[in-house]
């Protein structure tokens, strides 16, 4: 990988930016201090809210960190489909004693204002989700010394990232928890995706950019696997979600290893975009009927999700999680980084012995 990025953090471990209050400054700081790259998630925040978190993080660590932005979304949703879904959710609103949200709350997530803040107050790294920034945006960030990464879920998307001039691509496999960072949400492909190792290999052959691998990674041996496949670093989300520093709701953390939640699925139930979460009642009942309408459905269900959390009802919450969620460890974030580094070293040593004719398998 370009030394411009690897010089920023000693270990090939990136803490995924998890929007919705999970990737708080104390989590990012703990990861940075332990030698990884911590991230703040600007998604669903105001520009001032993002700026205040950056200030907090800078007060906690002097090490480099990143900020993630959501790309503005095109107007592709069918309003009538959103209306039908709202009618279906009326019973949920009555049950939780709340109103449904306004689906027309906004589509751009304050993108331009947040960019302006990041250009006036540069941070070491900025990543983008749900699309590719323009060449002009990437160049403007480069001019202020910011390293840029963009998520891709296919080889074609990775080519678009390279054409935009970004410094690296985040290869997000279908195993990843939370929202798939597809550049365009096509309803006919909402339930499918490419496995991480195949995606990393395909992207490595198609583009010359460094690759950060993301999707279901929970152990140091898995980090070793994606590095062997050609990635330069691994991005972990669910692994850090369970840490004490994470801002995730306590019920969300507990659900990761609760025998009641045995599997994950990609669903549009909570946001209108494919996102991987633990299968609960809300996902089962509404997932099959949710339209491809982001961020309309996200705005629509926001009060329901908040009310469910307040009521202590995990069956009505968006429990985002990757496929490896059962391997979550309740460790402080810095300690988790140290454990992952030790596991990575052990896996690499075992591989070296094997290649040199040893018996490790």
């Amino acid at each position: 990988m370009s030394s411009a990025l690897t010089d920023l953090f000693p270990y090939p471990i990136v803490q995924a930016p998890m929007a919705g209050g999970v990737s708080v400054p104390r989590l990012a700081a703990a990861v940075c201090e332990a030698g990884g790259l911590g991230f703040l998630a600007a998604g669903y925040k105001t520009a001032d809210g993002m700026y205040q978190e950056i200030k907090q993080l800078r007060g906690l660590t002097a090490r480099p960190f990143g900020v993630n932005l959501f790309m503005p979304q095109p107007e592709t949703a069918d309003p009538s489909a959103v209306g039908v879904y709202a009618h279906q959710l009326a019973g949920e609103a009555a049950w939780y004693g709340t109103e449904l949200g306004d689906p027309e709350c906004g589509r751009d997530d304050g993108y331009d204002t947040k960019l302006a803040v990041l250009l006036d107050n540069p941070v070491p790294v900025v990543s983008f989700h749900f699309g590719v920034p323009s060449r002009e945006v990437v160049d403007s960030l480069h001019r202020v010394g910011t390293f840029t990464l963009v998520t891709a879920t296919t080889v074609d998307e990775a080519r678009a990232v390279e054409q935009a001039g970004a410094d690296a691509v985040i290869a997000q496999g279908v195993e990843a928890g939370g929202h798939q960072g597809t550049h365009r949400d096509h309803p006919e492909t909402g339930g499918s995706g490419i496995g991480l190792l195949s995606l990393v290999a395909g992207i490595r052959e198609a583009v010359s950019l460094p690759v950060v691998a993301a999707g279901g990674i929970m152990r140091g041996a898995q980090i070793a696997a994606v590095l062997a496949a050609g990635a330069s670093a691994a991005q972990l989300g669910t692994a850090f979600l369970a840490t004490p520093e994470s801002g995730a709701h306590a019920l969300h953390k507990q659900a990761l290893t609760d025998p009641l939640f045995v599997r994950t699925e990609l669903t549009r139930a909570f946001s209108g975009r494919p996102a991987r979460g633990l299968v609960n009642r809300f996902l089962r009942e509404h997932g099959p009927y949710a339209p491809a309408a982001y961020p309309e459905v996200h705005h629509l269900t926001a009060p329901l999700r908040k009310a469910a959390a307040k009521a202590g009802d995990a069956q009505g919450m968006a429990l985002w999680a990757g496929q490896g969620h059962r391997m979550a460890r309740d460790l402080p974030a810095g300690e988790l980084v140290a454990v992952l580094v030790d596991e990575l070293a052990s896996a690499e040593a075992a591989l070296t012995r094997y290649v040199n004719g040893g018996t490790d398998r």
Side-chain angles (χ1 to χ4, degrees), residues 14 123 142 150 152 187 193 201 284 293 326 328:
V14 178
V123 299
H142 286 164
V150 183
R284 286 193 301 270
R326 298 304 295 272

Side-chain angles (χ1 to χ4, degrees), residues 5 39 125-128 147-151 161 166-170 212:
L5 182 62
F39 255 93
V125 181
V126 170
S127 67
F128 297 85
F147 199 94
T148 56
L149 301 90
V150 183
T151 301
V161 172
D167 296 295
V169 58
I170 300 169
V212 176

Side-chain angles (χ1 to χ4, degrees), residues 144-159:
V144 296
T146 297
F147 199 94
T148 56
L149 301 90
V150 183
T151 301
T153 62
T154 67
V155 171
D156 284 343
E157 289 180 351
R159 290 192 180 103

Side-chain angles (χ1 to χ4, degrees), residues 9 12-29 31-32 36-43 45 53 57 65-70 125 127-129 149 151 170-173 175-179 212-218 223 233-243 245-248 320-322 333 336-337 340:
F9 50 109
I13 296 172
V14 178
Q15 167 247 312
M18 295 169 280
V22 178
S23 296
V24 292
R26 64 179 179 272
L27 173 60
V31 173
C32 292
L37 181 66
F39 255 93
L40 295 175
K45 290 184 175 67
E53 287 205 343
L57 179 52
F65 62 90
V67 175
N68 175 255
L69 298 181
F70 286 171
V125 181
S127 67
F128 297 85
H129 210 55
L149 301 90
T151 301
I170 300 169
Q172 186 192 35
E175 305 94 333
H179 285 92
V212 176
I217 301 173
M218 303 292 289
I223 298 174
Q235 179 171 282
L236 292 74
T238 306
F240 286 107
L241 192 152
T243 64
E245 294 91 345
S246 156
W320 303 136
L336 177 58
V337 171
L340 289 167

Side-chain angles (χ1 to χ4, degrees), residues 89 95 195 289 295 303:
L89 295 177
W95 174 259
Y289 311 104

Side-chain angles (χ1 to χ4, degrees), residues 243-269:
T243 64
E245 294 91 345
S246 156
H249 194 284
L251 289 176
H252 193 168
K253 295 182 181 184
Q254 294 164 13
L256 295 175
T257 53
D258 188 335
L260 199 63
F261 302 100
V262 298
R263 61 190 178 89
T264 63
E265 280 186 9
L266 287 174
T267 184
R268 298 182 187 275

Side-chain angles (χ1 to χ4, degrees), residues 94-180:
W95 174 259
Y96 289 116
T98 189
E99 300 290 330
L100 294 174
D102 178 4
E104 301 301 328
C105 275
R107 314 194 55 78
D108 67 356
D109 199 48
Y111 178 75
D112 290 336
T113 308
K114 290 173 184 175
L115 269 178
V117 171
L118 293 171
L119 291 172
D120 286 342
N121 302 271
V123 299
V125 181
V126 170
S127 67
F128 297 85
H129 210 55
F130 297 151
V132 185
S134 68
R135 186 80 188 214
E136 291 75 19
V137 165
V138 172
D139 288 346
S140 66
L141 287 167
H142 286 164
R143 284 194 293 272
V144 296
T146 297
F147 199 94
T148 56
L149 301 90
V150 183
T151 301
T153 62
T154 67
V155 171
D156 284 343
E157 289 180 351
R159 290 192 180 103
V161 172
E162 186 173 51
Q163 291 168 5
D167 296 295
V169 58
I170 300 169
Q172 186 192 35
V174 72
E175 305 94 333
H179 285 92
Q180 289 286 297

